[in-house]
Amino acid sequence: MKKQLSRHSQIIIFASSLSISLILSNIPTHALTVQEVPNPRQKNSGWVTDMVDMLSPEAEAQINQMISNLEQENGTEITVVTVPTTKPSSTPKAFTTELFNTWGIGKKGKDNGILFLVSKGDRRTEIETGYGVEEILPDALVGSIIRKQVTPKFKKGKFEAGILAGTKSLIKELETKATQTQTAVSSETEHPDFVIFLVLLPMFLLMIIAFLLSLLPVLLPISIFIIIIIMLLEWRGIIKTNLNSFMLKKLRNYSNNYSGSSYSSSSSSSYSSSSSSDYSSSSSSDYSSSSDSSDFGGGDSGGAGAGDDW
């Protein structure tokens, strides 16, 4: 009888110990700060930091090559990061924004950076975009890419496939819309003299008619005024775009400073002293030379982007 009780006690103790071990194994034991995440540009001049081994060496090499090609074409910088957790940050979004600004992803002055972050412990995907790519990649489009290309594959445990699909979708949007923008600008400026001629011709005809009718002193000021209005309207799009971009950036900078974000003083200052000065304005205009840089270009995050749980 005593032997049976002793055996039952041992079984109970063993089962209890096993249960406690399983419970403790699911509790995160390591907090991660952005300073502990290896910068891929400094580590191996790449664009990928895979801390939880979601990617094979072949997939990582493929992503690095795709991003390098994009960066050489139009200067956009994308970095892909996988982390075990984003704790102790308040949210994965806060961690992603802080990491983006600490590294300064994107070219300085152009702010054309993107951070594609996957947190395995949080089961969360975040994509952060800089000011310069918000028009090409608005929040709604970024969210759609995550929900359609990334999350379904992650739910099936296909992390490598999801990261590859998400990266390819981002690059496709950046390449397609950048090409469309360049084509539109080219078509508008291809025959500037002819456009001006068409605008001014009616005015000159009106002036000739007015002269013949001896009404030149009356109609001349009106004609000049109309010419000025037409020329201003020709450039209204450029003026409006520049003003909107300027005001948007100023408002967001004010919002970030006012909210007292933890990274606004420490992260950006440490980065500017170490790497922003190394990435001069010449590298912003010469994309081919920037691929050999050992750091990112000193871009700024607009706080935009999207995320999704899986």
Side-chain angles (χ1 to χ4, degrees):
M1 186 71 177
K2 290 182 179 180
K3 290 182 179 180
Q4 288 180 347
L5 289 174
S6 177
R7 186 173 182 180
H8 285 310
S9 298
Q10 290 177 352
I11 293 173
I12 292 171
I13 293 172
F14 176 77
S16 301
S17 301
L18 182 61
S19 300
I20 294 172
S21 299
L22 289 173
I23 293 171
L24 292 176
S25 65
N26 290 324
I27 299 176
T29 58
H30 176 68
L32 184 71
T33 63
V34 296
Q35 287 75 23
E36 295 176 282
V37 182
N39 185 324
R41 302 300 290 154
Q42 296 175 354
K43 185 178 179 181
N44 54 22
S45 297
W47 305 98
V48 180
T49 292
D50 185 15
M51 296 184 70
V52 290
D53 297 325
M54 286 185 169
L55 299 169
S56 65
E58 294 77 15
E60 184 171 333
Q62 182 182 353
I63 292 173
N64 276 322
Q65 187 60 55
M66 289 190 298
I67 298 175
S68 292
N69 293 340
L70 177 70
E71 192 263 349
Q72 290 177 3
E73 288 175 8
N74 58 33
T76 304
E77 294 183 353
I78 302 177
T79 186
V80 177
V81 177
T82 69
V83 294
T85 182
T86 59
K87 302 299 182 183
S89 292
S90 57
T91 62
K93 171 66 175 177
F95 183 93
T96 306
T97 302
E98 183 179 358
L99 182 63
F100 188 114
N101 287 284
T102 299
W103 285 356
I105 303 169
K107 297 294 184 289
K108 188 175 181 63
K110 294 182 178 293
D111 302 325
N112 54 349
I114 299 169
L115 173 56
F116 183 173
L117 183 136
V118 179
S119 174
K120 191 172 185 179
D122 299 299
R123 298 182 64 87
R124 179 78 179 177
T125 303
E126 291 285 346
I127 295 180
E128 184 94 359
T129 57
Y131 291 114
V133 296
E134 286 181 24
E135 277 192 31
I136 299 176
L137 289 170
D139 295 353
L141 178 56
V142 174
S144 177
I145 289 173
I146 296 174
R147 290 190 301 273
K148 294 179 180 179
Q149 301 295 332
V150 181
T151 301
K153 295 179 177 61
F154 279 10
K155 287 182 176 180
K156 296 178 181 178
K158 299 179 179 179
F159 300 112
E160 181 175 298
I163 294 173
L164 277 169
T167 304
K168 288 178 180 179
S169 295
L170 291 171
I171 292 175
K172 181 180 178 181
E173 292 294 333
L174 290 164
E175 288 179 336
T176 301
K177 293 185 178 179
T179 302
Q180 291 174 348
T181 301
Q182 291 173 358
T183 302
V185 172
S186 177
S187 63
E188 289 177 359
T189 58
E190 186 175 359
H191 303 292
D193 295 336
F194 182 69
V195 173
I196 294 174
F197 174 76
L198 290 178
V199 172
L200 296 181
L201 180 59
M203 298 300 102
F204 283 117
L205 292 176
L206 181 61
M207 292 171 63
I208 293 173
I209 294 172
F211 177 77
L212 294 175
L213 297 176
S214 301
L215 294 176
L216 184 61
V218 177
L219 295 181
L220 180 59
I222 298 176
S223 299
I224 294 175
F225 177 76
I226 293 174
I227 291 173
I228 294 173
I229 293 298
I230 292 175
M231 297 304 292
L232 288 175
L233 290 176
E234 284 290 318
W235 295 100
R236 71 187 184 281
I238 297 176
I239 295 172
K240 182 179 179 181
T241 300
N242 289 338
L243 284 176
N244 286 344
S245 299
F246 176 78
M247 292 302 297
L248 179 64
K249 187 167 184 177
K250 289 296 182 183
L251 286 172
R252 281 179 173 161
N253 281 335
Y254 175 79
S255 176
N256 290 337
N257 292 334
Y258 184 77
S259 62
S261 300
S262 61
Y263 60 83
S264 58
S265 58
S266 61
S267 301
S268 57
S269 60
S270 63
Y271 179 81
S272 61
S273 62
S274 62
S275 61
S276 293
S277 59
D278 296 333
Y279 217 102
S280 62
S281 58
S282 62
S283 63
S284 297
S285 59
D286 184 7
Y287 303 138
S288 61
S289 62
S290 64
S291 59
D292 295 329
S293 174
S294 61
D295 215 329
F296 293 100
D300 187 22
S301 166
D308 191 28
D309 296 319
W310 43 271

